[in-house]
Amino acid sequence: MHTQSPSTRQPMSPNIIRAILAVAAAAYAEADMYMDALRDAEFREVSFLTQSNLKGLKRGHTGQPAVILLHDQWGLGAQARDHAEHLGQRLDHAVTLNGKAMKNEITVVVPDLFHGKVPTTSAEAKALMEGLDFPALVKEIAAIAAQLRGEGAPSVGVIGFSMGGALALGALGASDDIKCGVTFYGVDFALFDPAAIDHKAVQAHFGSDDMMEGFSDAPTMTKLDNILDGKRHDNAGEEIIGKLHHRVWTYSGSGHGFMNNFPVR
């Protein structure tokens, strides 16, 4: 497990999978964590080939490496859009190939797991989450990955926040098309088989003061780290992805939802 302070920044990597992971690792350390205003003009509405006909947003073009971003309990609102825009811009600037920077080469898709509903209170968010079939959603996210691969994406990763983080690990285990996954403060051990993600690249990020028992608190973080065999990395971040698959971070003094910059209702 790696403890990171807000002043520490992890370097970016040239490999597409490592770039996805490095973006997640560095995001919290950014002095300017998010844009002052949402710039989502590059996103367009799309439909996915899933059981419940999920819709969502897409940034980028067909056939590019892709990242599926899964929103938290606040739905596909301002915060999720901001995460997606931030991730897309960071990836565009992070990826190089043979020493040459690649621009506008990453697709980001954001499925709307609440089918157009955006909660405005904690009670509404809880009700929407309780109405979800999580195992079925895992299969739908896997279907989105298969769709992206079928459209020519050479690689697919998944990143999620809170509820979306738990689904990200579930989808990573369920889909052969998803090669790497990142969860921010969200784990549901019932959604994945450890053996199904052991050979894949995984990152997990938790706040040291998170008190969500069994989901993102310290014992959950430790349990996940143990399941992932407690693999370590050096501070320079120069390890080879084939040899080091798993990295777990904890952020001192942070609670649940520390990546959110919009007020929590």
Side-chain angles (χ1 to χ4, degrees):
M1 216 175 303
H2 181 68
T3 300
Q4 182 168 323
S5 66
S7 61
T8 303
R9 181 175 177 176
Q10 296 296 316
M12 289 298 175
S13 164
N15 180 274
I16 174 58
I17 294 180
R18 292 176 66 190
I20 294 171
L21 300 182
V23 164
Y28 184 58
E30 283 292 292
D32 179 16
M33 191 180 296
Y34 295 99
M35 288 71 65
D36 291 334
L38 295 180
R39 295 193 298 272
D40 59 358
E42 296 182 61
F43 282 88
R44 59 190 182 278
E45 294 185 359
V46 293
S47 297
F48 301 107
L49 303 176
T50 66
Q51 183 68 31
S52 67
N53 299 312
L54 283 174
K55 301 184 185 305
L57 300 176
K58 181 177 182 179
R59 177 188 189 274
H61 303 286
T62 299
Q64 297 174 338
V67 181
I68 302 169
L69 187 147
L70 303 174
H71 62 72
D72 62 9
Q73 66 270 26
W74 298 109
L76 186 45
Q79 185 64 73
R81 291 169 183 262
D82 200 25
H83 281 322
E85 180 64 28
H86 186 72
L87 179 65
Q89 291 197 358
R90 288 291 302 279
L91 283 172
D92 282 350
H93 288 83
V95 180
T96 61
L97 182 62
N98 296 327
K100 182 180 179 181
M102 298 170 60
K103 298 289 289 182
N104 300 316
E105 292 294 332
I106 304 297
T107 294
V108 179
V109 298
V110 192
D112 184 354
L113 307 177
F114 288 160
H115 294 276
K117 297 178 180 178
V118 179
T120 59
T121 67
S122 296
E124 291 177 358
K126 181 180 179 182
L128 285 172
M129 282 193 297
E130 289 178 346
L132 294 178
D133 183 335
F134 280 81
L137 269 182
V138 164
K139 293 180 181 179
E140 293 203 72
I141 297 161
I144 292 173
Q147 180 180 344
L148 291 167
R149 290 282 287 147
E151 293 171 348
S155 57
V156 178
V158 63
I159 181 171
F161 301 85
S162 192
M163 175 191 83
L167 288 167
L169 291 181
L172 182 65
S175 172
D176 291 336
D177 295 309
I178 302 176
K179 302 304 182 184
C180 60
V182 181
T183 177
F184 278 90
Y185 39 80
V187 183
D188 184 342
F189 294 106
L191 290 179
F192 67 94
D193 178 358
I197 66 173
D198 185 62
H199 61 291
K200 298 183 178 183
V202 184
Q203 275 194 13
H205 301 261
F206 299 91
S208 64
D209 297 344
D210 195 326
M211 304 301 291
M212 294 193 70
E213 185 176 355
F215 186 72
S216 52
D217 59 354
T220 301
M221 175 175 57
T222 300
K223 180 178 179 180
L224 179 63
D225 193 41
N226 290 335
I227 284 177
L228 297 176
D229 294 328
K231 301 292 175 61
R232 300 298 191 267
H233 72 286
D234 59 34
N235 290 331
E238 294 300 325
E239 56 282 341
I240 299 172
I241 199 68
K243 294 182 179 179
L244 182 74
H245 299 297
H246 314 311
R247 301 161 80 172
V248 178
W249 273 262
T250 179
Y251 298 84
S252 298
S254 297
H256 194 81
F258 60 82
M259 289 295 290
N260 289 356
N261 63 319
F262 287 85
V264 176
R265 279 74 68 184

